[in-house]
Amino acid sequence: MREDTRTRIQEIALRLFTEQGYEATSLREIAEELGVTKAALYYHFKTKDDIVASLADLRVAEVEELLEWARTQPRSPETRREVVQRYAEALRRPRYMEVARFMERNQTALRDHPKIVRIREAMLELVNEMSDPDDPLPLRIGRSLSLFALHAGKWMPHEESVSEDEVLEASLEVALRLLEP
Amino acid sequence: MREDTRTRIQEIALRLFTEQGYEATSLREIAEELGVTKAALYYHFKTKDDIVASLADLRVAEVEELLEWARTQPRSPETRREVVQRYAEALRRPRYMEVARFMERNQTALRDHPKIVRIREAMLELVNEMSDPDDPLPLRIGRSLSLFALHAGKWMPHEESVSEDEVLEASLEVALRLLEP
DNA sequence: GTCTATACCAGGATAGAC
DNA sequence: GTCTATCCTGGTATAGAC
C-alpha cells in the first residue's frame, strides 16, 4: 500500500528544496524522481508555490497557536520560559524541523509567499511579546535571540557522538539563559 | 564625476539581490536600472555568479584574516572576546553588513558558490576555535551562537528611536555574555 | 573599450487530447 | 490522472557597431 502521489511530491520537493534550494530545483527534477512528466505535477498542485504552501501549512498553525496562547498570558518570566519550551517541543514534532530548515535556507526566494509571510510575522510578534519596549536593549536582543537559538545546532560542527536531540536540549538551555538579564 | 559602470552594477545587484532574492532578480532588471541591455553586463562580468564573487571578495578576506589571527592565539577567554570584538568591528565597515545580509538571505541559492563556501567554512572554523571538544555542549552552542548574535538585529522590530549602531553595540554585549558559562 | 542585436536553451505555466 | 504541444521569461554566448 504505497502513499498517494500528492504526499510523495511533498516529500521529494521538501528534500530537494532544502538540499539544493527552491529555485534551483526544477519541477522536471521532481517529476523525474516520481516517474512522471512535469505537466503531471500541475494536476496535484496549481503552481510550484502551491507545493510550498502545502509544506508551510503545518508550521503556520503551530506558530500562530503559540502566539495566540502567549497573548492570553501575562508578560512574566514564566510565560517567556513557557514560550521557549513550547517552541522547542514543536521543533521535535515530525517534519517540523525539516520545514523550518527549508524555510530558513530559502528566505528570499519565499519572501512574498503568503504562508511564509504569516509565519514570519507571527514569529516577530512572538519576539515582541517577549519584552517590554522599555527593557534595556541588550536584554531585548537576547530575548529575540532566544527563540532563534533553538535552531543554532546548524552552526555546530557535526559530530557522531552527539545526537540531534541532545543538541536541541542544550540549545534550550542556552535559550532559557538568554531570557534573563 | 560619476562612478564607473562596474561599481554601479555591483551596487544595484547587491540591493536587488538582497531585497528580492538572487534568483528572483534577473539580469534584465539590473540592466534596466542601469540603462543598458542585459548583454552589456556580460562585458563587465562573465556570469551572474561572477557578480556575486565580486561582492563576496571583501568578506572572504575579512573572515579568513580573522581566522588566521585566531589560530595564532591561545584558546583563552581573552582570545574569544577579541574574536567577537573584531568581528563586530568588521560588521561596521562600509558594505560589509550589506554583503552579510545578502549572503544570509540567499543561503541555498549561493550554496555551491566557491567564494561563499570559503566564507562559510572559515566561519565554521572560527566557531570551532571558540571551544574545546570537551567543553559542555550548552557552552559550545552558546559560543557558536555568539558570532551569530551580532547579526541578530534583524529580528528586532524596527524602531525609529534606535540606531543600527546602538543595536550592534547591544548585540555585542549579548555575544560576549554567551562566551562565558 | 563599451555596448547592441540576436539567437539558444532550460524552466515555469497553460490548453487540450487521451 | 497523465501526456503532448506550446508560450514566455531568464541566463548565456557571440557577432559586430561605435
Side-chain angles (χ1 to χ4, degrees):
Chain A
M1 189 67 152
R2 79 120 65 101
E3 303 161 297
D4 58 78
T5 308
R6 194 185 153 85
T7 309
R8 292 184 56 221
I9 294 174
Q10 287 178 320
E11 279 169 2
I12 295 172
L14 178 56
R15 181 166 48 76
L16 293 180
F17 288 167
T18 307
E19 282 172 4
Q20 323 177 338
Y22 174 67
E23 318 243 20
T25 302
S26 68
L27 293 180
R28 190 187 41 70
E29 246 177 312
I30 299 174
E32 261 170 23
E33 274 214 35
L34 223 137
V36 298
T37 67
K38 66 173 179 168
L41 299 182
Y42 280 87
Y43 173 76
H44 299 279
F45 294 96
K46 278 196 302 293
T47 64
K48 199 181 177 188
D49 263 22
D50 207 43
I51 303 179
V52 173
S54 78
L55 292 172
D57 271 334
L58 176 77
R59 217 185 152 192
V60 172
E62 204 88 62
V63 174
E64 289 187 346
E65 268 166 38
L66 182 52
L67 175 60
E68 271 171 49
W69 176 84
R71 279 181 168 152
T72 65
Q73 303 301 115
R75 252 181 222 190
S76 65
E78 293 74 37
T79 302
R80 286 189 280 270
R81 281 196 293 272
E82 183 83 19
V83 166
V84 168
Q85 266 149 357
R86 285 181 182 220
Y87 189 72
E89 265 170 49
L91 284 177
R92 283 205 189 82
R93 285 203 253 290
R95 287 176 71 207
Y96 190 116
M97 186 74 107
E98 285 79 1
V99 173
R101 230 184 284 267
F102 152 60
M103 282 180 49
E104 276 169 39
R105 294 201 191 164
N106 291 278
Q107 286 181 68
T108 24
L110 307 176
R111 201 171 127 272
D112 296 322
H113 198 291
K115 292 263 171 69
I116 305 289
V117 169
R118 273 174 67 184
I119 294 174
R120 189 174 50 233
E121 280 174 359
M123 286 296 285
L124 274 175
E125 292 287 324
L126 205 51
V127 162
N128 239 323
E129 289 292 321
M130 307 281 275
S131 295
D132 288 310
D134 52 331
D135 283 328
L137 198 50
L139 182 57
R140 284 166 62 202
I141 288 178
R143 287 178 179 160
S144 305
L145 197 57
S146 66
L147 285 179
F148 193 81
L150 297 172
H151 295 277
K154 288 182 323 194
W155 294 284
M156 288 280 307
H158 291 312
E159 286 172 34
E160 299 288 335
S161 55
V162 187
S163 75
E164 281 227 358
D165 243 45
E166 285 172 310
V167 171
L168 186 55
E169 202 55 49
S171 301
L172 179 56
E173 206 178 312
V174 176
L176 290 173
R177 199 156 62 91
L178 279 166
L179 293 177
E180 310 308 329
Chain B
M1 187 64 151
R2 78 121 65 103
E3 303 161 294
D4 57 64
T5 309
R6 193 183 155 86
T7 309
R8 292 185 58 219
I9 294 174
Q10 288 178 319
E11 281 168 2
I12 295 171
L14 179 56
R15 180 165 50 75
L16 293 181
F17 287 166
T18 307
E19 283 172 4
Q20 322 179 337
Y22 174 67
E23 317 243 20
T25 302
S26 68
L27 294 180
R28 189 187 40 70
E29 247 176 311
I30 299 174
E32 258 170 25
E33 273 214 35
L34 224 139
V36 297
T37 66
K38 67 174 179 167
L41 300 183
Y42 277 84
Y43 172 74
H44 298 279
F45 295 95
K46 277 198 300 295
T47 64
K48 197 183 179 188
D49 263 22
D50 207 43
I51 303 180
V52 173
S54 77
L55 291 172
D57 271 334
L58 175 77
R59 218 185 151 193
V60 172
E62 204 89 60
V63 174
E64 288 187 346
E65 269 166 36
L66 182 52
L67 175 60
E68 271 171 49
W69 176 84
R71 280 181 168 153
T72 65
Q73 302 300 115
R75 248 180 226 193
S76 64
E78 292 74 37
T79 301
R80 286 190 280 271
R81 281 195 293 272
E82 182 82 19
V83 166
V84 169
Q85 266 150 357
R86 285 182 183 220
Y87 188 72
E89 265 170 49
L91 283 177
R92 282 205 189 82
R93 286 204 251 291
R95 286 176 72 206
Y96 190 115
M97 187 73 108
E98 284 80 0
V99 173
R101 230 183 284 267
F102 153 60
M103 283 180 47
E104 277 169 38
R105 293 200 191 166
N106 290 280
Q107 286 181 69
T108 25
L110 306 176
R111 201 171 126 271
D112 297 322
H113 197 291
K115 293 263 171 67
I116 305 289
V117 169
R118 274 174 66 184
I119 294 174
R120 189 173 52 232
E121 279 175 359
M123 286 295 285
L124 274 174
E125 292 287 324
L126 206 50
V127 162
N128 239 323
E129 289 293 320
M130 307 280 275
S131 296
D132 287 311
D134 51 332
D135 284 328
L137 198 51
L139 182 56
R140 283 166 62 202
I141 287 179
R143 286 180 180 160
S144 305
L145 197 56
S146 66
L147 284 179
F148 194 81
L150 297 171
H151 296 277
K154 287 184 322 196
W155 293 285
M156 289 281 306
H158 290 312
E159 287 172 35
E160 300 288 336
S161 53
V162 187
S163 75
E164 280 228 358
D165 243 46
E166 285 171 309
V167 172
L168 185 55
E169 201 57 47
S171 302
L172 180 54
E173 205 177 313
V174 175
L176 290 173
R177 200 154 63 89
L178 280 166
L179 294 177
E180 310 308 329

